Amino acid sequence: MAEQILFIIFGILAVGSAICVIAFRNPIHSALALVLTFFSLAGLFISLGAYFVAAVQVIVYAGAIMVLFLFVIMLLNLGRLQTTRQINKAKVFAVIVGILLAAEAIYIGIKAYDGTAVSPAQGESQAVGAAITSEQLNRISEIESTYHLDRTEINSTYVPEVSEQKSTVETLTASEANLLIAKLQGEMGKPDRIGTILFTKFLLPFEVTSLVLLAALIGVIVLVKREDTDTAA
Amino acid sequence: MALQYYLILSALLFTIGVIGVLIRRNAIIIFMCIELMLNAANLAFVAIGRELGDASGQIFVFFVMTVAAAEVAIGLAIIVSVFRHRETINIDEINTMKG
C-alpha cells in the first residue's frame, strides 16, 4: 500500500516536472524542473528498495551534474536568449512521433513481461508444510555466492527471523524458504551488497569506467582550452 | 506494485525526453532531455532488477550515471566552445556541417 502511494506521488511529480523541463522557456527554470525530476526518481528508487542508487542519484545527478548545467547556463548568460514561440510543422510532427513512440513503448512495457519469469520468492504456491525444495536451496546458494555470504551467517541471522525455532536453512519449510529468499533479496539495495558485487562480479567494467572518466576529463580540457597565443603563454 | 506500472512511467519519461529533443532549439535543453531519457532507462533497470531479484540492474545504473557524467562534461564543453565562436547555441543557427 505504501509503495502504491509513493509510486503515485512520485510518478505524477516526475512526469509533471519532466513536462516542465521541455515547456519552460527560461533554461534556468528548465534546469530546476529537471532537479525536481531527479528527486522524484530518487523517491521511486527508494520505494523499489534501491537505497544506495537513490542516494547516488541525489548526490551525483541532482548535485553534481545539475550544478554543471546551471554553471554553464549562467556562465553563458543564456537567460536572455529566448526565441519566439511558434508552432510550426516540425513541432506538430515531433509531438505525433512522440505520441506514437509512447504508445509503442507502453505496449511493450505491458506485453513484453507477462510474469513468467517470476522470482523464486513469488513462485507457485506449495502445499503447507512441504519441505524446502532443491530449487530453493540452489537459489539460496546462488545468493550466497553472489554476495559472499556465509551459510552460518544466514543460519544464525536470517533463519531465526523467518522461523523462530529453527537455526538451519535445511529444516525450513518451502513457504518459509520463500520468505527467506525474499528477505535476502530485499537486502540487495543496501550499500554493502552493492559494493560486494560491484568489486567482484563487475570489477572489470568498474575499472573500464574509470578510463571513460579519464578520457572525458582530458577531452574537456582539450576542448575548452583557448588556442590563441596571448593567453597560452 | 507491478512491474508494468514502472515500465509505463519509464516509457512516458523517455518519450517526454524525445519530444523535448525534437521541439527545443536550445542545445542545453536538448542535453537536459538526453539526461531525462537516461534516467527513464535507469528506472526501468532498477524496476526489472527488483522483479528478477538481481542487483545487477542497480549496478548498471551506476555505469549509466558515469557515462552520463562524462557525456555532460564533454557536451557542455562543446557548447561552451561553440558559443565562443558563434555567440549562439540555437541549433538552427549552428548548421555549418549541414550538407
Side-chain angles (χ1 to χ4, degrees):
Chain A
M1 191 59 197
E3 200 193 332
Q4 266 96 328
I5 295 168
L6 283 176
F7 179 82
I8 290 167
I9 293 172
F10 286 122
I12 291 172
L13 206 57
V15 172
S17 55
I19 290 171
C20 288
V21 170
I22 65 171
F24 284 161
R25 297 174 69 187
N26 188 334
I28 292 178
H29 296 166
S30 289
L32 294 176
L34 193 58
V35 172
L36 185 59
T37 313
F38 289 158
F39 270 107
S40 333
L41 279 164
L44 286 169
F45 289 157
I46 287 174
S47 74
L48 280 166
Y51 310 111
F52 188 55
V53 173
V56 172
Q57 169 91 6
V58 171
I59 295 167
V60 174
Y61 258 122
I65 292 182
M66 289 320 296
V67 166
L68 197 58
F69 268 110
L70 285 172
F71 185 76
V72 170
I73 292 170
M74 291 177 177
L75 183 77
L76 302 185
N77 195 12
L78 295 174
R80 61 190 165 78
L81 287 180
Q82 286 166 20
T83 49
T84 51
R85 173 173 297 196
Q86 76 266 25
I87 294 183
N88 50 26
K89 279 182 193 164
K91 281 186 182 172
V92 175
F93 177 72
V95 171
I96 292 170
V97 168
I99 290 168
L100 285 176
L101 180 70
E104 192 180 342
I106 290 171
Y107 180 77
I108 291 171
I110 294 170
K111 286 289 172 184
Y113 185 78
D114 56 359
T116 45
V118 177
S119 60
Q122 306 156 1
E124 71 278 9
S125 58
Q126 274 123 347
V128 181
I132 186 167
T133 62
S134 56
E135 261 177 54
Q136 289 170 330
L137 280 174
N138 285 341
R139 181 69 196 162
I140 291 173
S141 41
E142 203 178 292
I143 293 174
E144 274 171 17
S145 61
T146 311
Y147 297 114
H148 292 262
L149 278 172
D150 204 356
R151 179 58 65 91
T152 51
E153 192 191 334
I154 291 181
N155 284 342
S156 61
T157 315
Y158 294 105
V159 173
E161 287 180 26
V162 177
S163 173
E164 280 180 17
Q165 292 86 20
K166 291 169 183 168
S167 59
T168 56
V169 169
E170 286 78 9
T171 57
L172 291 174
T173 64
S175 53
E176 287 167 349
N178 277 338
L179 279 177
L180 176 67
I181 293 170
K183 194 175 266 299
L184 290 174
Q185 284 176 347
E187 308 257 303
M188 74 186 182
K190 292 189 175 169
D192 53 341
R193 299 295 168 81
I194 294 288
T196 306
I197 63 169
L198 185 61
F199 291 114
T200 53
K201 197 176 167 190
F202 291 96
L203 183 61
L204 181 64
F206 177 78
E207 297 293 345
V208 173
T209 301
S210 66
L211 287 179
V212 171
L213 288 175
L214 179 67
L217 187 68
I218 297 169
V220 168
I221 293 170
V222 170
L223 276 171
V224 296
K225 191 165 161 271
R226 283 191 184 275
E227 283 170 20
D228 28 296
T229 45
D230 54 333
T231 51
Chain B
M1 201 70 193
L3 174 66
Q4 276 87 349
Y5 296 103
Y6 286 101
L7 292 183
I8 289 169
L9 178 62
S10 167
L12 282 176
L13 288 174
F14 190 89
T15 312
I16 292 169
V18 171
I19 293 176
V21 168
L22 291 175
I23 68 173
R24 293 306 298 256
R25 303 267 68 97
N26 184 326
I28 287 189
I29 303 229
I30 288 175
F31 255 98
M32 290 184 201
C33 292
I34 293 172
E35 293 305 305
L36 204 57
M37 289 191 270
L38 287 169
N39 264 276
N42 281 353
L43 180 64
F45 268 129
V46 173
I48 293 173
R50 204 268 306 252
E51 190 74 13
L52 297 177
D54 191 342
S56 303
Q58 297 180 25
I59 302 291
F60 268 87
V61 171
F62 289 113
F63 294 138
V64 172
M65 280 180 186
T66 323
V67 171
E71 174 238 325
V72 165
I74 295 280
L76 290 177
I78 292 173
I79 288 175
V80 167
S81 57
V82 165
F83 188 80
R84 272 185 196 156
H85 286 99
R86 310 291 296 265
E87 290 291 313
T88 180
I89 54 163
N90 185 328
I91 57 163
D92 282 339
E93 294 168 36
I94 308 168
N95 52 9
T96 315
M97 287 174 75
K98 197 169 170 184

